[in-house]
Amino acid sequence: MSQDLILETRGLSKEFLGFNAVSDVNLKVRRGTIHALIGPNGAGKTTVFNLLTKFHQPSAGQILFNGNDITRDNQVQVARRGMIRSFQISATFSHLTVLENVRVALQRTRSDSFNFWSSERKLNVLNDRAMELLTEVDLASFADTITVEMPYGRKRALEIATTLALNPDLMLLDEPTQGMGHEDVGRVVDLIKKVSTNRTILMVEHNLSVVESLCHTITVLQRGSVLAEGNYATVSQDPRVLEAYVGVEA
C-alpha cells in the first residue's frame, strides 16, 4: 500500500495565533488517481495546499512525498521534487502570447532557466515541446494569441499547460473551475480527465458535479479536520457531510 501512495500526511496541523486552521489531517493520495479536497468555506482546504507546497510551514505533523519526508523542505525544493500547483487566481503572463507562456515554463527545466535576454532563435528550440503541450490542452490554435485576449476558461487551460511543462509527478489544482460558466466548466473537466492519464492530481473544488465526474477519492474537511473520506457515492450520503457542507441536518 505504501508503494501505491504518492503523498501522505500524518497529523498535519497549522496554528495561526492560537487558531487551529488545520488540525491532525491524515491524507493519503494514491498514485495515478484524482483526489479531491472539499468542504465549506473556511474548512482549511487552501491552507492544506499551502502546507503541502510550503507557503506555510506546519505547526505539527509530517508530509511524505514519494516516500521522502519533505516536512521541512522549502517551496523550491518541493517543486523540484515534482509537486506543482496552480492557484485560484489566474497566474499567466498576460502580455505574452500563449506559446511564450508555455515556453517560459519550459525554460525552468533547463540550466539557463529564466534567461529572458536570450535571443528568439535560441528560445525557438522550445517551440516544438510547447506546441505539444498546447495541443494536449486543446490550445494549439491559440498559440499566437496574446494571453490577455483569451477567454477566462482558456486561460485556466493555459495554466494547466504551464504546469505540465514542469513535468510534475503530482499536480495540485486549486479551484480549477472557479468563476466559470457551464460551457467552460465542461471543457475544463474534459481537459483534466485527459491530462490525468498516467498522472496524479489533488484538487480543491467547490463544484460537486465536477467532483462527482472526476474524482476517485474525496476527503471532506470541516473546521480544519477530516470529516469523512471515500468515493462520491459514500461521501455524498454521509449525514455529517450533508450537515456540514450543504447545511442539511441529518
Side-chain angles (χ1 to χ4, degrees):
M1 177 66 180
S2 61
Q3 292 180 342
D4 247 2
L5 298 179
I6 189 170
L7 176 71
E8 181 180 5
T9 68
R10 300 173 180 172
L12 188 64
S13 301
K14 181 62 179 178
E15 181 180 307
F16 295 101
L17 299 175
F19 170 70
N20 292 319
V22 172
S23 181
D24 196 30
V25 168
N26 298 305
L27 186 65
K28 293 183 178 182
V29 178
R30 291 183 3 257
R31 197 178 306 277
T33 65
I34 304 177
H35 192 126
L37 292 178
I38 71 170
N41 290 336
K45 304 181 296 295
T46 296
T47 302
V48 168
F49 260 34
N50 287 336
L51 291 169
L52 295 175
T53 53
K54 311 336 263 309
F55 285 79
H56 300 316
Q57 285 291 344
S59 302
Q62 189 179 24
I63 304 170
L64 301 174
F65 181 59
N66 278 327
N68 299 305
D69 189 333
I70 65 166
T71 310
R72 297 303 165 192
D73 281 8
N74 60 36
Q75 296 172 28
V76 173
Q77 290 169 322
V78 168
R80 285 177 175 167
R81 288 182 184 272
M83 189 191 304
I84 308 295
R85 73 176 288 185
S86 70
F87 295 84
Q88 291 182 26
I89 300 171
S90 182
T92 55
F93 294 102
S94 59
H95 295 292
L96 295 181
T97 67
V98 169
L99 179 69
E100 288 168 339
N101 266 275
V102 179
R103 205 165 62 181
V104 167
L106 286 170
Q107 281 183 260
R108 183 63 189 86
T109 63
R110 292 164 36 128
S111 59
D112 60 346
S113 63
F114 303 134
N115 191 354
F116 293 110
W117 52 87
S118 293
S119 68
E120 187 73 13
R121 181 182 57 81
K122 185 175 180 181
L123 293 177
N124 280 344
V125 300
L126 301 172
N127 286 352
D128 287 347
R129 178 56 181 153
M131 284 303 301
E132 288 176 4
L133 289 166
L134 290 178
T135 299
E136 187 170 357
V137 299
D138 301 321
L139 288 181
S141 62
F142 288 85
D144 296 323
T145 302
I146 301 299
T147 302
V148 73
E149 299 172 359
M150 291 177 65
Y152 177 71
R154 295 304 179 102
K155 289 180 184 176
R156 300 298 282 188
L158 175 57
E159 290 173 7
I160 291 175
T162 58
T163 302
L164 292 175
L166 299 175
N167 197 27
D169 286 340
L170 175 62
M171 295 175 63
L172 277 66
L173 304 180
D174 196 355
E175 300 277 14
T177 68
Q178 185 180 42
M180 290 185 183
H182 180 73
E183 181 179 344
D184 279 337
V185 168
R187 183 181 289 117
V188 169
V189 167
D190 290 342
L191 174 57
I192 293 172
K193 285 181 181 177
K194 181 179 179 181
V195 303
S196 68
T197 303
N198 299 320
R199 295 187 176 98
T200 308
I201 296 175
L202 176 63
M203 60 190 295
V204 168
E205 181 54 58
H206 69 283
N207 188 323
L208 291 184
S209 65
V210 170
V211 172
E212 180 181 14
S213 63
L214 280 177
C215 299
H216 303 96
T217 306
I218 300 159
T219 301
V220 185
L221 297 181
Q222 182 187 32
R223 300 187 185 94
S225 299
V226 175
L227 180 66
E229 187 170 89
N231 59 26
Y232 185 83
T234 300
V235 167
S236 64
Q237 297 302 313
D238 191 313
R240 299 169 301 163
V241 174
L242 294 175
E243 183 176 358
Y245 197 74
V246 294
V248 177
E249 289 194 14

